[in-house]
Amino acid sequence: MKSYFQLGDVFKYFFRVFRKPDPNAPTSFNLKMMHGINRISIIMFLFCLIVMIARAIMR
């Protein structure tokens, strides 16, 4: 049961997706677009989470 609630890999991905790409890693257009969409979705999620928390506090 404990292994289901480990969030280390999730936080590692957050930091990995926002750092500079490795110049030695193979890149393709599809991979760049996937990482771009992931960045946008992470930023939108964090923004909405902040708005929801702010609205809950204001009530």
Side-chain angles (χ1 to χ4, degrees):
M1 189 70 166
K2 186 178 178 182
S3 64
Y4 290 116
F5 296 104
Q6 291 179 345
L7 297 176
D9 292 335
V10 174
F11 291 118
K12 285 179 190 175
Y13 183 76
F14 283 149
F15 293 117
R16 187 175 68 210
V17 83
F18 287 109
R19 70 177 174 196
K20 284 187 172 181
D22 184 16
N24 297 328
T27 58
S28 68
F29 179 75
N30 293 333
L31 188 63
K32 287 181 182 180
M33 289 298 109
M34 181 191 71
H35 286 301
I37 291 170
N38 285 347
R39 286 183 188 115
I40 292 168
S41 64
I42 290 169
I43 290 169
M44 286 177 59
F45 172 76
L46 293 175
F47 175 74
C48 292
L49 191 65
I50 290 169
V51 168
M52 289 173 62
I53 291 171
R55 285 185 178 181
I57 291 172
M58 296 292 186
R59 285 186 180 191

